[in-house]
Amino acid sequence: MVKKYRFGKPFDTEAVVSELKAEEGTDDVIGAGINILENGLSIRMAERTMVFGLGENMHGINKRGNVYVSNNSDDPHHQEDKVSLYGSHNFIVAEDYVLGEGLNTIGIFIDYPGKLRFDIGFTHTDELRITFEDMDFELYLIEPEDVDDALVSIVSQFRRMTGKSYIPPRWAFGYGQSRWSYPDEASVREIARKHKENSIPLDMIYLDIDYMDSYMDFTVNKEAFPDLSGLSRELKEEGIYLVPIIDAGVKKKEGYDIDEEGLDKDYFCENEEGEVFEAAVWPGISHFPDVLRPEVREWFGAKYERLTSLGIEGFWNDMNEPALFYTKRGLDKLYDKVERYKGNYNLSLEEFWDMTGASSSISNNNEDYSSIYHNTYMGRICHDKVHNLYGFNMTRAAGEALERISPDKRMLLFSRSSYIGMHRYGGIWTGDNKAWWSHLLLNIKMMPSLNMCGFIYSGADLGGFGTDTNEELMLRWLEFGIFTPLMRNHSALGTRLKEAYQFDDTRTFSNIIGLRYMLLPYIYSEYLKAVNNDGVYFKTLHMVYPMDEIAREVEDQLMVGDNLMIAPVYEQNKTGRYVYLPENMLLLRFRAYDDYDEEYLEKGHHYIWADKSEVLIFLRKDRKLPLSMKKHQTVGDIDFNEPTVISYSDKAMEYEYYMDDGVSRNGRVEIRSI
Amino acid sequence: MVKKYRFGKPFDTEAVVSELKAEEGTDDVIGAGINILENGLSIRMAERTMVFGLGENMHGINKRGNVYVSNNSDDPHHQEDKVSLYGSHNFIVAEDYVLGEGLNTIGIFIDYPGKLRFDIGFTHTDELRITFEDMDFELYLIEPEDVDDALVSIVSQFRRMTGKSYIPPRWAFGYGQSRWSYPDEASVREIARKHKENSIPLDMIYLDIDYMDSYMDFTVNKEAFPDLSGLSRELKEEGIYLVPIIDAGVKKKEGYDIDEEGLDKDYFCENEEGEVFEAAVWPGISHFPDVLRPEVREWFGAKYERLTSLGIEGFWNDMNEPALFYTKRGLDKLYDKVERYKGNYNLSLEEFWDMTGASSSISNNNEDYSSIYHNTYMGRICHDKVHNLYGFNMTRAAGEALERISPDKRMLLFSRSSYIGMHRYGGIWTGDNKAWWSHLLLNIKMMPSLNMCGFIYSGADLGGFGTDTNEELMLRWLEFGIFTPLMRNHSALGTRLKEAYQFDDTRTFSNIIGLRYMLLPYIYSEYLKAVNNDGVYFKTLHMVYPMDEIAREVEDQLMVGDNLMIAPVYEQNKTGRYVYLPENMLLLRFRAYDDYDEEYLEKGHHYIWADKSEVLIFLRKDRKLPLSMKKHQTVGDIDFNEPTVISYSDKAMEYEYYMDDGVSRNGRVEIRSI
């Protein structure tokens, strides 16, 4: 049961697709135990209260104890005190919060594209407080249809009202290799060759910014990639897809037709004075398509055809918070500060920080964001009010265009920045993480939250993007990554090379990545199931075993689909870990698709050895697991029609196997019992 | 069995106190399986090899898998990829490394005060490689005297050869409250009053930099602290000691006698040209005492008397890496870069980073360090060669002086920067951490490593220094902090106030901190025991149960002294955790000194509930625990003579209770069985 309430004059984000009339008045909001404050909302939490949701954010699955700010940010330092990442997903489920004399569970979606602050028991342990910049928003309250399964019921209703999640082509469930950047055709060919030589499956090679000519969107550096079309064709013959990046900013340049068109048509964002807004990003000074306007989305989206016409079938949209390296305003501030202090070698600390602060705050700052303007259906509005919609709409532009360009065949699309609703058009990756063990654990914890918000095709940069990884972390991260729908190894310029053959023990890498392909009949079926049934692919234990008092606190084990539990190892130098089983399970200990052991384990606590060359999979009691138990080099090698089935017990219940042709946009999903 | 080898022309750091003649040749080094490379040393690691030591560093107790660089650094961002903290402790124990056809265990101390890199299985999983800037060092190889207890035996020999650890006065084992900064006498009095009002014990109030006049060492801001002597006396009557900070840099200022004296006597470090080296720190442009020279140490140390004469009995030495905010060289570089680009609003990214990089790298950079020179017994040498000795010698200056100033009564002294050997003069705190749960866990894991290196009086800023904490983290951190010899709540300017009465549930804070005082008879006895016997106070489970295959991987439980094990909770929203018991133990679940339960637990794995208001203490089988089970406000309230004893079983073995008068420098340690 979903009810909608309108406060002030909200901007229509188009996050919600179901038609709901706003309720009159707010008595029901107050009746639900939600206090309406001058600048926000609050509810009271009990000792037992847990809060779930918020999609892409730091901290645990239970978000209690911290502050989160929806304010899409390009900041690669995801430390524990970071309050904003790249997406804004203002959906929470407050379980067992205080309502009158008792406890209640409710879903809350706040459709508000500006900066929004959630203080979930940080300042006061018993208060959840949501603070707005202005009180213009739509509030959706979701009551569970099934109180015994309140969390799942609320998530399912939320997903129904926000629309079906994106489904990429099936090859996009393979393993992808990325780096900033493979500089030319030869290096791309080498990546393909080395994976094959080392029996490491591979379906995608990603092209980061250097494939472009001067970082101009939809261009190709002809010196480095003289024949992208030929390269793409050649690789596709081996089952490997090239996936280029597209950035939000359009280079300001005379003679660059996209920039000139955008200027001619007034399709770029403006500044205070109504001139075209300018800021530097990768291409230098750039202009930013005003993607909140449908006609601009149509125009910008159509440009993807320049690459699809070369055989490209997938894209990743980046820098779309939008990231801003610097503006004239910021440079002037720095130049002025330095001018003021120049020649002074005895600065006070206030002076010193005043000067260096003008440098350290020059990128992605609020003053620059406040100087961007959009022309929307509500008239000219400041970017502040709609900041969190930019990435959503850039990716919507691409998604809608790719559907026009390729009406039959699905294309791969995912984005760095996002907002609720974008999940209908593409997936996300979780941005510029680091080669930190804590980021492997964060990856594990973030997945169910992302799934709740509709982002099922998602994943992190496996092994870490921004710092040097080591063999053990890379392996352990892959051992979790084989379960994430988006499975990509990506790394930053200047970091240690980390393709799967760059370490001492290549064979184990080949085996572990091979397990992904073995698992794909199950993974892909469960993906289709989650999307089609408005469910989630990664579940918390608490979702599946809501009455289990131990399971409710477990955050380092996940359910993958309906039948499996995983318990990844996420610490250095560990050969075992504790695992909690909420019911009897069959432990499958895989070293390779053709090398594994089985062990029946009883409900309860276990300490389980897990060497770094092993993946532990826990099959639920009386369930089945469809697999493709052979060697594969690409997804194309997998026989999805006749999977091998591993069962827990002879009386295992039928498995509902969801399958489609892996290609068609509107292909029929076949459901059969196996 | 310790052997010493000399390579090149090492600087005498005075880290080692035992007289050992260097061996002739290096055949024995090679014979021990240590490869001597052009620029370093390496050993081969087996699957089983674990490496312990390195004192103040990131990551786990087993240091394998990462890179560590001994290069004392003032950088408050202690993320996982950080390779250098504030101290350099080049002592490792390599357990079960490859020697010929078998495995061997050895202790390695590298007495080298320059930059030293340890790659412990990071680049190649089976190689430990130590890389030097130049091959001038002393190498100590320590073979175990007892092969069944190799780790403990090696640590004990290392500790013998580097001298007895520092023992502070007993009141310094109380709880201390600190903040950057309590600005004046009134605020200090309020801290004392509020702790008392809320029944929160307190023995120390720390004064951060703002108590000084313009940040000048050994001065007092007379407006804020018109009568420091009176304030000190008044607080000591309540059992509370004032502990002011002392910084390394001496303000450059005409009329400031310490600066003028230092200049007159040529006691400051020099630059390339032989002029006095200048860099800005808190006081602005400052000079840096050349504390590597005995006469400078004597001169600088004598200045502490200006504060001891006001009744001060404890100090913390800070900024002694030494930290450098900026130099003329660095400012010029920034000014020049900005001059070059000024007026250009279309910078290339290389130009943009060139300019902002001159700002972001202005503090604590290698170029500045390379421009410092010392006049030493080896002549004039560049700071690079001896960088890691600065903090050690500043604190040695203080420690030696305080012994002259107060020959009978011990004084409190600890430092931020350190090197092996400094443990004879004072303790350390672990620098500018953050209110991150991962830093609570890091605190837990770092303690045994610090203890191995002699730093027994040590602790972290409880609750986190640099970011805002929440009530649960503060409580959980205190629940571990009650076991650390240095127990201090400290926080940075601008962060949330976090004195123990600033949260919703003051009573629990009072109870938890009260447990520290209840435990002090045991804690202090075990501290004396560790120091007197060259042992450690915080042990790993592996040290105590070397044959236990589970215990060897446990890094989130510690042994405290000989009789106790602890298993702190270090995650948000957890009410329980897994605990491994290597033998039968008695679980004491304390909510307050007068509110606790006992439960006998069997050897093995347990999931144990632990509410955030509870401290779990595991008493080993047949052991005893001496306590002071009453309410205390200060350490002075504790009856150390007649402790209450809790026993595991009736046949518990006698406990060797170490006690002294808590005050005297050379007071007799009485050992009696209870």
Side-chain angles (χ1 to χ4, degrees), chain B residues 139-187:
Chain B
L139 171 68
Y140 295 82
L141 297 186
I142 309 169
E143 282 168 29
E145 287 164 343
D146 175 356
V147 290
D148 292 333
D149 208 8
L151 174 55
V152 169
S153 161
I154 288 167
V155 169
S156 168
Q157 292 179 76
F158 173 69
R159 297 284 304 293
R160 277 206 299 279
M161 77 188 223
T162 51
K164 286 269 177 281
S165 292
Y166 163 80
I167 304 175
R170 197 163 58 195
W171 53 260
F173 288 82
Y175 176 60
Q177 182 58 50
S178 185
R179 185 166 175 89
W180 170 27
S181 290
Y182 297 125
D184 54 26
E185 289 193 2
S187 63

Side-chain angles (χ1 to χ4, degrees), chain B residues 2-264:
Chain B
V2 183
K3 286 189 172 180
K4 170 176 164 180
Y5 304 89
R6 183 168 289 138
F7 289 74
K9 292 183 177 162
F11 185 87
D12 183 7
T13 66
E14 301 185 44
V16 173
V17 293
S18 59
E19 301 210 356
L20 270 172
K21 201 168 154 291
E23 305 289 320
E24 297 291 329
T26 54
D27 287 355
D28 288 357
V29 177
I30 297 158
I34 299 175
N35 304 303
I36 302 170
L37 314 170
E38 198 185 344
N39 65 344
L41 305 171
S42 80
I43 63 174
R44 202 149 77 77
M45 297 192 288
E47 185 92 17
R48 263 190 85 73
T49 306
M50 300 202 290
V51 178
F52 305 108
L54 289 183
E56 190 181 61
N57 255 305
M58 298 300 297
H59 305 296
I61 293 172
N62 178 1
K63 309 312 279 185
R64 189 167 180 173
N66 295 292
V67 169
Y68 310 85
V69 179
S70 292
N71 185 34
N72 295 353
S73 299
D74 170 31
D75 176 346
H77 306 293
H78 308 167
Q79 307 102 324
E80 265 182 62
D81 55 297
K82 183 121 185 62
V83 295
S84 305
L85 295 173
Y86 308 88
S88 289
H89 309 138
N90 305 329
F91 169 56
I92 58 173
V93 179
E95 183 177 286
D96 290 338
Y97 72 100
V98 178
L99 178 59
E101 301 295 301
L103 301 179
N104 187 42
T105 297
I106 201 167
I108 301 175
F109 172 52
I110 296 163
D111 193 5
Y112 177 77
K115 196 186 286 183
L116 190 57
R117 184 174 194 272
F118 295 82
D119 178 337
I120 307 181
F122 176 80
T123 301
H124 295 289
T125 52
D126 65 351
E127 187 189 28
L128 188 166
R129 183 183 281 247
I130 303 168
T131 310
F132 296 74
E133 299 280 301
D134 51 55
M135 291 289 274
D136 297 319
F137 64 94
E138 281 176 343
L139 171 68
Y140 295 82
L141 297 186
I142 309 169
E143 282 168 29
E145 287 164 343
D146 175 356
V147 290
D148 292 333
D149 208 8
L151 174 55
V152 169
S153 161
I154 288 167
V155 169
S156 168
Q157 292 179 76
F158 173 69
R159 297 284 304 293
R160 277 206 299 279
M161 77 188 223
T162 51
K164 286 269 177 281
S165 292
Y166 163 80
I167 304 175
R170 197 163 58 195
W171 53 260
F173 288 82
Y175 176 60
Q177 182 58 50
S178 185
R179 185 166 175 89
W180 170 27
S181 290
Y182 297 125
D184 54 26
E185 289 193 2
S187 63
V188 169
R189 283 197 181 88
E190 191 194 357
I191 297 299
R193 181 174 56 77
K194 288 219 170 163
H195 279 80
K196 200 164 187 178
E197 275 175 14
N198 289 290
S199 292
I200 301 162
L202 187 70
D203 276 81
M204 286 154 284
I205 298 175
Y206 288 83
L207 299 178
D208 208 325
I209 51 176
D210 296 292
Y211 82 90
M212 290 184 263
D213 175 11
S214 308
Y215 306 129
M216 289 186 290
D217 277 341
F218 311 112
T219 69
V220 176
N221 177 338
K222 291 286 180 189
E223 279 182 38
F225 292 90
D227 181 15
L228 191 66
S229 170
L231 181 69
S232 168
R233 191 170 52 244
E234 172 191 327
L235 289 171
K236 276 205 267 187
E237 278 164 16
E238 298 181 54
I240 296 171
Y241 291 78
L242 280 177
V243 184
I245 197 169
I246 303 292
D247 281 354
V250 170
K251 186 178 178 70
K252 173 186 178 181
K253 192 183 174 193
E254 269 185 51
Y256 173 34
D257 61 347
I258 297 181
D259 184 50
E260 291 185 343
E261 267 179 46
L263 289 171
D264 282 350

Side-chain angles (χ1 to χ4, degrees), chain A residues 557-600:
Chain A
Q557 305 172 205
L558 295 176
M559 309 303 294
V560 178
D562 282 337
N563 288 6
L564 299 187
M565 185 180 81
I566 57 171
V569 175
Y570 51 85
E571 291 174 277
Q572 179 90 43
N573 299 319
K574 286 282 180 189
T575 59
R577 59 159 289 176
Y578 288 102
V579 181
Y580 174 66
L581 271 55
E583 62 177 321
N584 293 356
M585 290 185 179
L586 173 64
L587 166 58
L588 300 162
R589 180 189 298 274
F590 278 101
R591 288 167 291 275
Y593 74 90
D594 56 356
D595 178 13
Y596 71 100
D597 311 314
E598 294 186 353
E599 185 183 357
Y600 288 92

Side-chain angles (χ1 to χ4, degrees), chain A residues 17 65-66 70 123 126 128 173 182 185 192 221 225 230 238 273 384 400 408 475 516 575 598-599 629:
Chain A
V17 292
N66 296 290
S70 291
T123 302
D126 65 352
L128 188 167
F173 288 81
Y182 297 124
E185 289 193 1
N221 178 336
F225 292 89
E238 298 182 54
E273 288 77 33
D384 283 355
E400 290 175 337
D408 300 323
L475 267 178
R516 160 65 160 216
T575 59
E598 294 186 353
E599 185 183 357
M629 298 189 83

Side-chain angles (χ1 to χ4, degrees), chain B residues 5 7 53 65 106 125 137 175 204 225 257 266 299 326 338 374 390 393 404 411 495 510 545 576 652 657:
Chain B
Y5 304 89
F7 289 74
I106 201 167
T125 52
F137 64 94
Y175 176 60
M204 286 154 284
F225 292 90
D257 61 347
D266 286 331
W299 166 75
Y326 67 81
V338 172
H374 299 270
Y390 196 89
N393 281 290
R404 289 190 300 271
M411 295 222 170
T495 59
S510 163
Y545 308 95
Y657 189 55

